[in-house]
Amino acid sequence: GMATEGYYVKKGKRADVSLEKRFLGFFNEDTHVDPQTYNYHGPHPKEKCTHNGWSDPSMKHLIKTKCSGVCGPSCKKCWKWVCGDCCLHPGCKRHDQFCNSGYFNKDCLSARGVLWDRKTNVVNDCLK
């Protein structure tokens, strides 16, 4: 849908349309959500998750958890090149857990959970 500053268009099941407030600034003024992320999450996502990814039905919850499990740095940027979409993925979720203690620890910097020490033998644990 068409987006304006701070809002996005939400389409219902019966072609009803509403303007919904984005959760920018939910935690502080520096909070930013990559606009692509809205396409994959919420009650009526526009895009389907692939490669064993899943969607969070609540954007508010996703932002509250700082997009943990979406490939990329917090909610600020979705890295579609890692798993092919902006959904939650097992490898990215696990990697984010390694980064919880700080971005400059060896497990976080070495992409543990995505590039190595994966739970599956599939590239990036995206299950492509």
Side-chain angles (χ1 to χ4, degrees):
M2 186 176 90
T4 60
E5 187 66 35
Y7 292 87
Y8 70 101
V9 174
K10 178 180 170 185
K11 295 180 183 177
K13 292 183 179 179
R14 299 180 191 201
D16 53 321
V17 177
S18 64
L19 197 60
E20 300 286 322
K21 179 105 173 110
R22 290 186 189 245
F23 294 101
L24 300 177
F26 187 76
F27 292 106
N28 60 43
E29 294 304 315
D30 296 327
T31 301
H32 171 74
V33 178
D34 186 328
Q36 295 182 92
T37 305
Y38 287 94
N39 292 333
Y40 293 90
H41 301 279
H44 305 289
K46 288 174 30 181
E47 303 285 337
K48 296 225 181 261
C49 294
T50 58
H51 312 305
N52 201 38
W54 67 95
S55 177
D56 191 323
S58 167
M59 279 301 300
K60 186 175 181 176
H61 175 263
L62 186 69
I63 294 167
K64 184 178 179 182
T65 61
K66 299 178 184 173
C67 295
S68 180
V70 176
C71 302
S74 186
C75 294
K76 294 177 182 174
K77 186 70 180 151
C78 164
W79 290 346
K80 286 177 77 172
W81 55 270
V82 177
C83 286
D85 58 31
C86 297
C87 294
L88 299 157
H89 290 276
C92 296
K93 183 94 172 155
R94 195 155 169 263
H95 172 70
D96 287 346
Q97 291 168 344
F98 288 119
C99 295
N100 280 342
S101 63
Y103 294 113
F104 296 107
N105 71 62
K106 65 180 171 108
D107 290 331
C108 186
L109 287 173
S110 65
R112 183 175 181 186
V114 177
L115 296 181
W116 67 281
D117 191 26
R118 297 184 302 263
K119 292 292 182 184
T120 68
N121 291 326
V122 180
V123 176
N124 300 341
D125 256 359
C126 300
L127 302 180
K128 290 184 178 182

